[in-house]
Amino acid sequence: MSKNVGQRTVLGFDFGKKYIGVAVGQELTGSASPLGSIKAKDGIPNEMELTKFIKEWQPDYLVVGLPLNMDGSEQQLTLDAKKFGNRLSSKFALNVEFQDERLTTADAKERLFAAGGYRNLKKDNIDAESARLIIESYFETLYQ
């Protein structure tokens, strides 16, 4: 049974080679919350950690940040993020949307620093906050 647009839960991912940030969002509020990060080995996530997030939050779909160059062109990391998204889609039988994530890491660092200074700028916090921003920017494009 699929839910109506506007009532779905989404898990968002900030893809990285060593860590993948995770956040959960609700279409109803258009907001998201950072959850943490998953360790990855050359972009391949720890299966147990990944599955735990999926089982716990039961998302209706997933959003993966797409790391593009500033001019909008793709780079190797863009292709790796797409591969990651496609694997998620196959493994969990969920739709995966991709969202341009240019500047989210810089934005995440600014927000975290403003909220708690340097001690707030842990890698785990930055990746999860980036995932939160990816979801929220995706929601903005959904409701334009």
Side-chain angles (χ1 to χ4, degrees):
M1 180 175 101
S2 71
K3 296 180 190 156
N4 295 331
V5 171
Q7 299 174 351
R8 299 176 298 179
T9 298
V10 59
L11 270 185
F13 298 93
D14 176 35
F15 176 79
K17 295 297 234 173
K18 293 182 180 161
Y19 292 95
I20 298 168
V22 186
V24 63
Q26 302 294 332
E27 285 180 346
L28 191 62
T29 59
S31 64
S33 305
L35 295 176
S37 67
I38 298 170
K39 280 195 173 87
K41 191 170 184 161
D42 202 29
I44 311 290
N46 176 304
E47 285 297 319
M48 279 176 30
E49 290 179 57
L50 179 61
T51 303
K52 192 176 131 218
F53 279 116
I54 301 281
K55 281 187 174 161
E56 182 177 347
W57 294 97
Q58 305 269 307
D60 297 293
Y61 65 101
L62 309 171
V63 175
V64 174
L66 217 46
L68 299 165
N69 290 317
M70 288 317 265
D71 65 2
S73 62
E74 295 191 348
Q75 55 181 312
Q76 185 56 50
L77 202 58
T78 315
L79 304 176
D80 294 341
K82 284 181 175 178
K83 198 185 295 181
F84 167 70
N86 293 333
R87 274 198 211 113
L88 287 178
S89 180
S90 303
K91 182 172 174 54
F92 298 105
L94 289 166
N95 281 340
V96 173
E97 300 290 336
F98 292 97
Q99 176 64 31
D100 179 352
E101 66 157 59
R102 283 176 284 181
L103 301 178
T104 53
T105 300
D107 194 11
K109 286 178 182 174
E110 263 177 49
R111 289 170 190 243
L112 288 167
F113 184 78
Y118 282 111
R119 71 177 182 282
N120 220 12
L121 294 179
K122 294 187 197 97
K123 182 80 176 112
D124 200 41
N125 288 357
I126 294 167
D127 293 335
E129 180 67 8
S130 293
R132 181 185 75 77
L133 293 171
I134 288 165
I135 292 174
E136 290 186 355
S137 64
Y138 175 77
F139 285 159
E140 286 169 22
T141 62
L142 204 60
Y143 300 118
Q144 279 180 348

